[in-house]
Amino acid sequence: MSSPPQTIALNALHTDHNVRAVRAADSHPLATRVALALGGIQRLRGLIGRPPLAPGEGLLLRPCAGVHTCFMTYPIDVAFLDAEGRVEAIRPALRPWRLTPMFAGVLATLELPAGTLAEAEVGPGDLLAFQLIKG
C-alpha cells in the first residue's frame, strides 16, 4: 500500500520541488506537472516566449497577485490563490494582451491551459493543494 502524496504549503515551495496541483476536496488533478516561478526573473518572464502549456502542465508564480498576457499568443486560465491555497478569483481563458487587477490577499497565481478550470469545475472558494511528486 502506497502512502498518499505529501502536501506542501504554498509558502514552503522551493524551485527544486516537483509538484502537482489538485483540488483539495477530492484530489482531482488540475496539473500533474507544475513549474515554479519563485524568483524575480522567472516571474517576470512567466509564459512569455514559451509554447502553450500542454494538458497537465501549469505554472505557479509566487508572490504574484496579478498577471498580464502581453506578448503571449494563446489564452490561459488563471487562478489567484491566498496563502492557504484557496481560490480568491479566476480568469478563465484570459486572452493575449490582457491585464488582470491586483487582488488583495492573493499570494500566488496558478496558470493553466485554457479550459482547465471549467473542466475541473474550480472557482472562487475552492481549496487547491500542491503535492510533492518524485522525479
Side-chain angles (χ1 to χ4, degrees):
M1 181 184 267
S2 64
S3 59
Q6 178 186 353
T7 298
I8 187 163
L10 275 174
N11 60 3
L13 288 169
H14 294 282
T15 55
D16 60 342
H17 286 136
N18 293 313
V19 297
R20 67 182 183 173
V22 300
R23 186 173 47 220
D26 58 5
S27 294
H28 179 82
L30 292 152
T32 54
R33 293 176 314 278
V34 177
L36 302 174
L38 308 177
I41 299 295
Q42 295 170 318
R43 287 189 349 257
L44 183 63
R45 179 170 181 210
L47 294 172
I48 295 171
R50 297 178 192 223
L53 293 166
E57 292 181 333
L59 175 66
L60 181 79
L61 298 103
R62 187 204 74 208
C64 182
V67 300
H68 70 83
T69 55
C70 299
F71 306 104
M72 292 178 59
T73 59
Y74 51 90
I76 57 173
D77 282 358
V78 185
F80 298 88
L81 311 173
D82 70 10
E84 302 301 317
R86 188 159 315 278
V87 177
E88 294 294 322
I90 63 170
R91 291 297 182 269
L94 185 64
R95 297 187 329 232
W97 295 97
R98 300 296 189 269
L99 301 170
T100 68
M102 299 294 283
F103 292 97
V106 166
L107 173 66
T109 61
L110 179 61
E111 298 180 344
L112 300 160
T116 302
L117 294 174
E119 183 275 326
E121 298 179 355
V122 168
D126 287 325
L127 185 62
L128 303 187
F130 294 87
Q131 299 174 334
L132 292 175
I133 56 174
K134 295 181 182 184

